[in-house]
Amino acid sequence: VQLQASGGGLVQAGGSLTLSCMASGNTGEVNMMGWYRQTPGKERELVATIMQGGSVQLTDYADAVKGRFIISREHGTNTVYLEMHNLSAEDTAVYYCVYDTLPSQIRYWGQGTQVTVSS
């Protein structure tokens, strides 16, 4: 599975940004896609995930982004979006797209895209 992420950049505090990630290759019908982020000196942390299996989609968010970020994907596609609103300097990080095959739980990582929020 290959992941191609895009949409990072520089935004002012309080602004919005949308990331996208497309998975290609040996993708399956049931899978999980999402985003993690990492800042220097810290571990990579979960931002949001969306599991898709048939017509079912289940989302999960880190507490720090609940109510500000929205993860979505069109049913049956392998492109995931992360809408980020009311951004703050604490959201500055490299954002990594992730794809998990299910139920085998093999994880694939995208190349990372930088999000910088200026205060």
Side-chain angles (χ1 to χ4, degrees):
V1 176
Q2 295 79 45
L3 300 173
Q4 182 64 47
S6 62
L10 175 65
V11 63
Q12 289 187 337
S16 299
L17 205 61
T18 298
L19 306 180
S20 64
C21 178
M22 182 179 69
S24 60
N26 191 24
T27 59
E29 181 179 349
V30 181
N31 55 70
M32 186 279 291
M33 294 188 70
W35 296 90
Y36 281 66
R37 66 187 181 186
Q38 188 172 25
T39 55
K42 293 188 177 181
E43 292 187 358
R44 200 167 291 187
E45 63 178 9
L46 170 74
V47 176
T49 61
I50 182 166
M51 190 280 289
Q52 177 172 276
S55 62
V56 176
Q57 290 187 340
L58 297 175
T59 59
D60 187 30
Y61 295 90
D63 288 341
V65 307
K66 283 180 180 177
R68 299 188 299 121
F69 290 13
I70 302 170
I71 189 168
S72 65
R73 63 191 292 184
E74 294 181 11
H75 280 280
T77 72
N78 290 316
T79 299
V80 65
Y81 302 93
L82 184 69
E83 296 178 44
M84 304 183 292
H85 302 285
N86 193 22
L87 287 162
S88 69
E90 287 69 35
D91 297 312
T92 294
V94 177
Y95 284 70
Y96 293 91
C97 179
V98 64
Y99 179 102
D100 284 359
T101 61
L102 296 174
S104 56
Q105 295 185 320
I106 300 173
R107 172 157 288 185
Y108 300 88
W109 292 97
Q111 80 278 18
T113 184
Q114 177 71 46
V115 172
T116 302
V117 183
S118 63
S119 57

